[in-house]
Amino acid sequence: MAKIEDYIPIVGESVVEDLRLIAVHLRGKRILNVNSTAVGGGVAEILNRMVPLLRELGLDVHWDVIKGGEEFFEVTKKFHNALHGGRVDIGEKDFEIFMETSRSNLEQMEISGDIIFIHDPQPIVLVRKRTDNKWIWRCHIDLSEPKKKVWRFLKEFVVQYDAAVFSAPAFSRRLLIRQFLIAPSIDPLSDKNRELPQKVIDGILAKYGVPKDKPIITQISRFDRLKDPVGVIATYRLVKKYIDCRLLLAGGTATDDPEGQKVFEEVLEAAQGDPDIHILAIAQNDLEINALQRASTVIIQKSLKEGFGLTVSEALWKAKPVVASNVGGIPLQVKDKYSGLLCYTPEGAAFAVKQLLSSPDYARQIGENGREHIRNNFLITRHLREYMLLFLSLYHRENIVHL
Ligand code: UDP
């Protein structure tokens, strides 16, 4: 596991020195993170790296996961889709299931700490355990157009927190608590992102039976309709009419996402047995994801909604030309025609992919710009700094700005 000084060659000495200076002010504070899954999805991805690095900086940081059954996670997935603006059928029974599991977590979990850092809606009710400590709600979802019924329900809990954190300005809501804007990040030294020898990359392609004979277009994502895997297949088909290529759709499922299997089957059906479409159901394997991203010619992220889209940062950090939807947190990362190409439809995505495949110099430049954009804005060192400053700010006199 990388040590904090290992980041110096990537971000410079002063950035790491700042982290050490800020951390001193948080010594002695116990910080507890709570979310709903230890593996799968962006939140777990970040916490897996954030927690050990904060500890190395001398902070007393912990991470706990709530428990929930299948019914609970079906409801929270409905919440997730509704908060992303999707039309979802949610009734009283769903709210009851949510509250029942929340009550059992309230009873069973020991929530102790100076700062309690709750991630996303699933554990939101835990705030009922608040004492004289500080509570933060970190929302990773694109809340720009939430369905009112679910947002109204959750807001009752959100307002009991000291502060809320969102990934992009458009996601903030009218709230009487303090709001912070902090974008997620990737760790350049994790197995997911570190440099890999070509031999390793080739070995993983061979393991999955993907030949290197044609350009490879890739989307790495959980099998989730909001990631639009079927739209990616449509994009590939439009490109394939002009340029011979392969499509790689790789993803696993998260323990808090019950829809994965169903969507996986829809994707298999949409592929209609095309031997140039490789649909890989990979277990959580950071090195393999890293290798597949590095083996790709172009990376797509054709999400219909996206809180942030860590996969976009991961691809850009590898200097890959990216074509991604102009939704949620993606335009923070992809500045159109500079650090990637933005798209709206399969036709637009296909046009962009064709452009990149037929102009390798342009694709290389876009990829290099992307890598620098991530270095400057979306690496874990910036994130560590902002989280620590957020923690510290909770102990300072509040200047509440009512939005
Ligand atoms: N990921 C993974 N295996 C998979 C699919 C995704 O490790 O099979 C990772 C991906 O590399 C990224 C994270 O899970 O680090 C997904 O985060 P993102 O913000 O893109 O989407 P989310 O799943 O949180 O909606």
Side-chain angles (χ1 to χ4, degrees), residues 41-42 45 192 221-222 227 251-252 284 289 306 309-311 314:
E45 174 79 18
K192 178 73 68 58
S221 270
R222 290 179 293 106
K227 309 286 185 187
Q284 209 61 35
I289 300 271
E306 192 60 79
L310 284 176
T311 47
E314 289 162 8

Side-chain angles (χ1 to χ4, degrees), residues 29 40 70 78 80 86 116 122 134 180 184 194 258 276 312 315 327 346 383 399 402:
K29 298 258 183 270
E70 207 174 306
K78 281 193 196 177
H80 181 90
I116 312 296
Q122 299 93 332
K134 309 285 185 192
F180 292 82
R194 66 181 167 85
D276 287 350
V312 173
V327 294
H383 204 176
N399 289 316
H402 295 282

Side-chain angles (χ1 to χ4, degrees), residues 276-288:
D276 287 350
I277 302 182
H278 303 266
I279 301 171
L280 313 180
I282 30 183
Q284 209 61 35
N285 190 323
D286 288 351
L287 207 74
E288 290 191 354

Side-chain angles (χ1 to χ4, degrees), residues 150-248:
V150 174
W151 174 240
R152 239 186 266 131
F153 172 80
L154 292 175
K155 197 175 157 188
E156 295 289 311
F157 299 102
V158 175
V159 295
Q160 297 175 45
Y161 285 75
D162 293 283
V165 182
F166 298 97
S167 297
F171 305 169
S172 66
R173 311 296 307 164
R174 268 177 183 279
L175 291 170
L176 294 181
I177 59 170
R178 300 166 88 195
Q179 299 191 50
F180 292 82
L181 171 63
I182 301 179
S185 65
I186 59 161
D187 183 342
L189 297 178
S190 65
D191 281 347
K192 178 73 68 58
N193 296 307
R194 66 181 167 85
E195 300 284 335
L196 290 180
Q198 191 59 41
K199 222 170 55 198
V200 173
I201 300 172
D202 291 345
I204 287 165
L205 278 185
K207 171 178 169 187
Y208 286 107
V210 183
K212 288 197 333 175
D213 53 348
K214 304 171 189 175
I216 300 175
I217 304 169
T218 301
Q219 175 163 295
I220 307 272
S221 270
R222 290 179 293 106
F223 286 98
D224 179 326
R225 289 191 193 96
L226 291 179
K227 309 286 185 187
D228 199 18
V230 174
V232 176
I233 294 181
T235 303
Y236 152 83
R237 291 218 163 99
L238 291 169
V239 174
K240 180 97 167 168
K241 278 193 207 162
Y242 302 91
I243 303 174
D244 197 14
C245 56
R246 295 187 177 277
L247 174 64
L248 200 60

Side-chain angles (χ1 to χ4, degrees), residues 232-387:
V232 176
I233 294 181
T235 303
Y236 152 83
R237 291 218 163 99
L238 291 169
V239 174
K240 180 97 167 168
K241 278 193 207 162
Y242 302 91
I243 303 174
D244 197 14
C245 56
R246 295 187 177 277
L247 174 64
L248 200 60
L249 282 170
T253 53
T255 51
D256 62 350
D257 179 0
E259 281 179 344
Q261 191 53 35
K262 236 182 297 161
V263 178
F264 183 72
E265 283 156 21
E266 287 169 17
V267 172
L268 275 183
E269 200 182 319
Q272 294 175 337
D274 181 337
D276 287 350
I277 302 182
H278 303 266
I279 301 171
L280 313 180
I282 30 183
Q284 209 61 35
N285 190 323
D286 288 351
L287 207 74
E288 290 191 354
I289 300 271
N290 185 347
L292 295 176
Q293 286 167 331
R294 288 183 188 278
S296 305
T297 320
V298 173
I299 294 193
I300 302 191
Q301 190 61 50
K302 228 206 107 339
S303 306
L304 304 173
K305 287 279 177 178
E306 192 60 79
F308 181 71
L310 284 176
T311 47
V312 173
S313 284
E314 289 162 8
L316 293 175
W317 179 245
K318 295 167 184 110
K320 292 294 164 182
V322 167
V323 174
S325 309
N326 191 8
V327 294
I330 289 177
L332 298 173
Q333 307 173 67
V334 173
K335 301 291 169 199
D336 195 29
K337 301 188 177 64
Y338 174 73
S339 59
L341 299 179
L342 289 174
C343 65
Y344 297 85
T345 58
E347 290 74 19
F351 182 80
V353 173
K354 277 188 290 177
Q355 199 180 3
L356 292 169
L357 291 181
S358 50
S359 330
D361 286 343
Y362 179 56
R364 198 173 312 113
Q365 186 61 56
I366 290 263
E368 277 165 21
N369 293 348
R371 180 171 164 91
E372 287 316 298
H373 187 58
I374 299 305
R375 189 197 306 277
N376 293 330
N377 298 287
F378 300 113
L379 294 185
I380 196 163
T381 37
R382 186 271 308 152
H383 204 176
L384 285 162
R385 176 193 170 93
E386 290 185 348
Y387 270 179

